[in-house]
């Protein structure tokens, strides 16, 4: 019985017919044609979200280092052509520099409010023109973990924007502008 099944298996041709292969390739091409434009429109928002998360994490890093080393730490925002920020120790040593846009990426991430019509503060109001509400474009954390209050707004070429901010108590948070409800979430 087992020998008969083995012989049946070996005598039957297995594999794909040319028609099955052509149909499968056509389906893959159709799905790729539909998926690539959707993916390429999604990439700028994905890159912006990653930069916003990186800035959020770097603010936490600066706060933790200020407490650990019992020294002031600053996050200095540069709105020049390079649109970057730097983590700087109390002795003016630059610990980290982050450029918001890389030269090879097609989408540009910069400081700014994008499509947002009001600031991320509870009172709302007009967002800052350069996208940074910190005094002198510098966020400072002191050794107790408290810091200067304010926001940094990041935007991409599609008008999507994030606000990463701190309270004077040292609490750090991130919000995204919701174009549908016209509010920060």
């Amino acid at each position: 019985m087992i020998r008969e099944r083995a012989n049946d298996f070996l005598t039957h041709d297995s594999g794909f017919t040319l028609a099955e292969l052509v149909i499968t390739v056509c389906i893959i091409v159709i799905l790729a044609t539909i998926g690539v434009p959707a993916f390429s429109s999604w990439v700028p928002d994905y890159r912006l979200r990653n930069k916003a998360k990186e800035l959020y994490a770097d603010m936490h890093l600066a706060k933790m280092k200020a407490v650990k080393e019992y020294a002031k730490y600053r996050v200095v925002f540069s709105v020049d052509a390079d649109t970057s920020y730097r983590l700087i120790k109390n002795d003016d040593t630059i610990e980290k520099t982050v450029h918001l846009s890389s030269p090879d990426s097609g989408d540009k991430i910069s400081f700014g409010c994008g499509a947002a019509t009001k600031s991320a503060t509870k009172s709302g109001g007009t967002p800052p023109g350069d996208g940074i509400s910190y005094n002198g474009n510098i966020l400072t954390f002191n050794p107790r973990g408290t810091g200067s209050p304010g926001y940094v707004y990041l935007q991409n070429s599609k008008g999507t924007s994030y606000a990463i901010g701190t309270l004077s108590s040292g609490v750090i948070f991130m919000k995204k502008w919701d174009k549908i409800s016209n509010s920060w979430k």
Side-chain angles (χ1 to χ4, degrees), residues 24-155:
T24 303
V25 169
C26 288
I27 290 172
I28 290 171
V29 167
I30 290 169
L31 290 175
T33 304
I34 293 169
V36 168
F39 177 76
S40 63
S41 68
W42 171 74
V43 169
D45 287 341
Y46 174 77
R47 286 187 177 148
L48 176 64
R49 186 182 78 224
N50 281 346
K51 284 297 179 181
K53 286 182 176 183
E54 184 178 9
L55 175 57
Y56 177 79
D58 286 341
M59 286 179 169
H60 277 283
L61 178 65
K63 177 182 170 182
M64 288 187 306
K65 284 186 173 242
V67 171
K68 181 182 175 187
E69 297 174 16
Y70 201 72
K72 287 186 178 181
Y73 260 80
R74 294 173 291 161
V75 181
V76 178
F77 303 98
S78 173
V79 293
D80 300 340
D82 71 342
T83 58
S84 63
Y85 65 89
R86 291 168 179 73
L87 270 64
I88 302 176
K89 286 172 115 178
N90 196 32
D91 64 359
D92 290 334
T93 304
I94 298 173
E95 293 236 336
K96 183 178 183 180
T97 300
V98 176
H99 296 277
L100 296 181
S101 290
S102 61
D104 59 338
S105 71
D107 55 323
K108 182 173 170 58
I109 298 172
S110 61
F111 297 113
C113 298
T117 56
K118 59 184 175 181
S119 71
T121 60
K122 287 184 181 182
S123 62
T126 306
D130 66 352
I132 304 167
S133 68
Y134 290 105
N135 194 12
N137 292 347
I138 299 172
L139 162 61
T140 304
F141 287 106
N142 65 38
R144 293 185 301 154
T146 59
S148 48
Y151 280 94
V152 175
Y153 299 88
L154 300 180
Q155 66 183 0

Side-chain angles (χ1 to χ4, degrees), residues 12-29:
H12 291 306
D13 291 335
S14 59
F16 299 107
T17 65
L18 182 60
E20 291 171 331
L21 187 62
V22 168
I23 290 171
T24 303
V25 169
C26 288
I27 290 172
I28 290 171
V29 167

